[in-house]
């Protein structure tokens, strides 16, 4: 990886209610709590032995995943987006849409879509020791 490059770990909090309360209607979770939880999960992904001269920045935004990922990539001048896929098919895919498919159409850069449960070794990538 280029030493002046930055690796961004991005999580998009989707705008959707979490449940229904019979008295007040839709109940949304505390956004601050969701934000903090997402930041903690992203930070936990950074390996302890990651080279300090290669920057990693974590970011959490709210919105529609594909739209926000494209916006973020444009804003940061990204060279590539790497995104996982849930592997939804059939009606679930039609109803929920496909973030990966939208990114392939809309992204300003290359998009690498990774299947679930694929390890770095399984992708043919190697890590430096």
């Amino acid at each position: 990886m280029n030493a002046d490059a930055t690796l961004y770990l991005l999580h998009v909090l989707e705008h959707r209610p979490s449940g229904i309360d019979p008295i007040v209607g839709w109940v949304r979770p505390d956004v601050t709590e969701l934000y903090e939880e997402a930041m903690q999960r992203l930070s936990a992904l950074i390996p302890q032995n990651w080279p300090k001269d290669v920057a990693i920045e974590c970011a959490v935004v709210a919105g529609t995943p594909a739209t926000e990922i494209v916006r973020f990539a444009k804003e940061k001048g990204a060279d590539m987006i790497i995104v996982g896929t849930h592997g939804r098919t059939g009606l679930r895919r039609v109803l929920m849409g496909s973030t990966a498919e939208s990114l392939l159409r809309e992204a300003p850069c290359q998009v690498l879509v990774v299947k679930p449960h694929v390890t770095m070794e399984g992708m043919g990538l190697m890590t430096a020791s």
Side-chain angles (χ1 to χ4, degrees), residues 8 11 53 56 63 71 117 125:
Y8 296 98
H11 180 79
D53 60 336
I56 296 181
R71 183 196 57 74
H117 308 296
L125 300 177

Side-chain angles (χ1 to χ4, degrees), residues 79-90:
D79 296 316
M80 177 181 280
I81 297 169
I82 302 173
V83 63
T85 179
H86 294 291
R88 293 183 181 107
T89 59

